[in-house]
């Protein structure tokens, strides 16, 4: 069982909808990540939070809005997405610099 | 030059053979290197990490690092059909921002 929990597992949304992806970890990790993965491509970094502060934004469009309410939770708010945003969204956590990432099972997002 | 380069494969090996997966990276300051295994439709799973030049062994897996050549490899001994997956090389970028970039991954097929 993964120690990083993502909900929901699957999400279908229209282009005018607002939805949120959620991620939770209880390993005491201080860094949390959002990655996007399209079919047959590697995970692509979107955001990094370190000690609950946004440290990396890889020029992600503003229709994706991350939030880190506390050290255990990470959200990704979605608004006005495009069909090309359909992908597997992966959350990960780590102890910090130099430590490996631990991934959740991902949320499979389909934008119609 | 891509940040992380891997041969996408597929790499086909017979059951019981040694599979050799290679990766080169461009960030000369990278200090931490991770190998992930990803089954189709699943999230990446950490299988090895290495920080120092030389070899690191864990069961059937050996990671090899040569920082001077900016080269990291993964050997899988006694390959099993269950090892059939995509193997992602992931160095952590230098700069202290906990950015981990993935290679495209090598698809390994172990033939029974």
């Amino acid at each position: 069982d993964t120690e990083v929990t993502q909900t929901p597992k699957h999400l279908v949304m229209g282009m005018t909808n607002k939805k949120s992806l959620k991620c939770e970890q209880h390993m005491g990790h201080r860094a949390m990540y959002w990655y996007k993965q399209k079919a047959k491509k590697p995970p692509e970094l979107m955001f990094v939070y370190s000690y609950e502060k946004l440290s990396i934004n890889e020029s992600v469009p503003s229709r994706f809005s991350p939030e880190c309410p506390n050290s255990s939770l990470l959200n990704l708010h979605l608004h006005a997405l495009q069909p090309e945003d359909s992908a597997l969204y992966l959350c990960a956590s780590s102890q910090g610099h130099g430590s490996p990432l631990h991934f959740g099972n991902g949320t499979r997002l389909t934008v119609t | 030059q891509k940040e992380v380069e891997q041969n996408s494969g597929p790499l086909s090996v017979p059951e019981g053979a040694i599979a050799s997966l290679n990766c080169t990276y461009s960030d000369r300051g990278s200090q931490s290197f991770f190998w992930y295994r990803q089954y189709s439709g699943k999230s990446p799973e950490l299988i090895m990490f290495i920080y120092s030049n030389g070899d690191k062994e864990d069961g059937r897996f050996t990671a090899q690092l040569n920082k001077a050549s900016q080269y990291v490899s993964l050997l899988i001994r006694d390959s099993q059909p269950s090892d059939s997956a995509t193997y992602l090389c992931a160095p952590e970028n230098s700069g202290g921002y906990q950015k981990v970039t993935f290679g495209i991954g090598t698809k390994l097929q172990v033939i029974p």
Side-chain angles (χ1 to χ4, degrees):
Chain A
D1 289 341
T2 182
E3 296 178 81
V4 178
T5 303
Q6 289 188 245
T7 55
K9 292 183 179 179
H10 301 275
L11 178 63
V12 179
M13 61 184 291
M15 289 188 286
T16 59
N17 291 161
K18 287 184 180 181
K19 297 286 185 183
S20 297
L21 309 184
K22 298 185 181 300
C23 176
E24 186 170 8
Q25 59 90 11
H26 293 290
M27 295 181 282
H29 288 173
R30 304 313 300 223
M32 296 188 77
Y33 305 73
W34 281 115
Y35 281 84
K36 172 183 177 180
Q37 188 174 26
K38 303 277 279 184
K40 301 191 184 303
K41 298 290 187 183
E44 179 183 339
L45 183 64
M46 301 175 72
F47 303 104
V48 181
Y49 274 83
S50 179
Y51 290 90
E52 301 165 42
K53 295 188 186 303
L54 184 65
S55 60
I56 296 177
N57 176 340
E58 290 287 275
S59 302
V60 178
S62 60
R63 58 185 184 269
F64 296 92
S65 176
E67 178 194 20
C68 189
N70 60 56
S71 59
S72 299
L73 293 174
L74 185 66
N75 299 321
L76 186 63
H77 301 298
L78 314 173
H79 174 56
L81 294 192
Q82 303 298 310
E84 59 264 29
D85 296 321
S86 298
L88 179 67
Y89 287 83
L90 295 162
C91 174
S93 68
S94 81
Q95 290 180 329
H97 187 59
S99 298
L101 274 60
H102 298 264
F103 284 89
N105 287 331
T107 294
R108 178 75 60 187
L109 174 68
T110 302
V111 181
T112 60
Chain B
Q1 182 186 9
K2 292 182 180 177
E3 291 184 66
V4 185
E5 299 215 39
Q6 293 183 260
N7 187 324
S8 60
L11 172 66
S12 295
V13 300
E15 184 174 354
I18 295 175
S20 178
L21 308 166
N22 304 315
C23 171
T24 58
Y25 59 94
S26 62
D27 184 345
R28 187 168 288 278
S30 291
Q31 297 294 322
S32 306
F33 303 87
F34 311 112
W35 281 99
Y36 287 84
R37 176 176 64 197
Q38 187 172 28
Y39 293 110
S40 182
K42 302 294 187 182
S43 63
E45 171 192 11
L46 178 72
I47 54 171
M48 288 287 289
F49 57 89
I50 187 167
Y51 304 128
S52 304
N53 280 329
D55 295 359
K56 178 182 178 183
E57 185 174 321
D58 183 1
R60 295 187 296 113
F61 298 98
T62 299
Q64 299 175 317
L65 175 61
N66 183 326
K67 291 183 181 179
S69 300
Q70 295 175 247
Y71 175 90
V72 58
S73 65
L74 179 70
L75 300 178
I76 306 174
R77 290 181 299 281
D78 187 23
S79 295
Q80 301 297 308
S82 59
D83 295 326
S84 298
T86 296
Y87 289 81
L88 299 160
C89 172
E92 184 180 275
N93 293 31
S94 61
Y97 290 104
Q98 301 160 16
K99 178 177 177 178
V100 176
T101 302
F102 288 82
I104 194 168
T106 298
K107 184 172 184 178
L108 173 66
Q109 295 177 338
V110 181
I111 311 301

